[in-house]
Amino acid sequence: MIPNFSIRLSPTPRGARLARLLATEQLRCWGLPSDPAEQIVAELAANAVTHGRVPGRDFRLTLYVVGDTLRIEVTDTRADRDPCLEQASPEAESGRGLALVAALASRWGVSEGPAPRKTVWAEVIQAPQFPLLAPEPGFPRSGEWGALSKGPRR
């Protein structure tokens, strides 16, 4: 089974914040680090709300894990407005979101369709948080009988 999460959210600043919060909680439940995925979700959701908004149409956040890769997808209903990576001027107050996504993600891109939708996606390779060690022979594994301490309760 492929771990996955998908939700439709309102194309508002509140929907973008909720996308980040829900993604962070889902990653926690899967035992995955939230960094840098949390920031990528925040940027892609903010772009969907700012540039992909059509009144009355939601955007969708989808997360799934295949092997060691987390894929983040944000789908909106403005296929006519493709995101483009541009150099923002130092004085600009916005315009750095996709540059941040490009810097944090292993790779990213845009998929079309079905009309009128487009999906902006990013992939993050997840490194193990700790080395996976095999138990020594004769010692119980977690979840097996005897794995928990039999010491006195407090």
Side-chain angles (χ1 to χ4, degrees):
M1 184 170 96
I2 296 174
N4 66 81
F5 172 81
S6 187
I7 190 167
R8 286 176 41 191
L9 298 161
S10 65
T12 62
R14 183 177 183 188
R17 284 191 305 273
L18 190 55
R20 180 183 54 81
L21 293 171
L22 291 171
T24 301
E25 180 60 18
Q26 187 60 56
L27 294 171
R28 187 190 67 74
C29 288
W30 286 340
L32 296 176
S34 63
D35 186 46
E38 177 182 9
Q39 188 64 41
I40 293 170
V41 168
E43 295 300 335
L44 295 182
N47 282 353
V49 166
T50 305
H51 306 292
R53 183 172 194 255
V54 174
R57 294 186 180 164
D58 296 337
F59 74 94
R60 177 177 299 278
L61 168 66
T62 303
L63 307 172
Y64 58 93
V65 179
V66 177
D68 63 352
T69 302
L70 167 67
R71 183 158 171 131
I72 301 162
E73 296 180 349
V74 174
T75 303
D76 65 45
T77 54
R78 289 295 304 265
D80 59 318
R81 297 189 70 180
D82 277 344
C84 55
L85 184 58
E86 295 179 357
Q87 182 74 26
S89 72
E91 300 83 31
E93 293 183 12
S94 63
R96 295 175 184 82
L98 284 179
L100 193 57
V101 169
L104 295 174
S106 303
R107 57 188 208 130
W108 74 279
V110 181
S111 300
E112 290 185 21
R117 294 183 281 277
K118 75 168 178 302
T119 299
V120 183
W121 56 267
E123 293 179 346
V124 178
I125 305 296
Q126 300 290 319
Q129 290 181 312
F130 49 87
L132 301 175
L133 302 175
E136 293 182 34
F139 285 89
R141 294 173 195 82
S142 177
E144 291 184 346
W145 180 85
L148 300 176
S149 170
K150 301 282 190 214
R153 294 185 180 198
R154 296 179 199 205

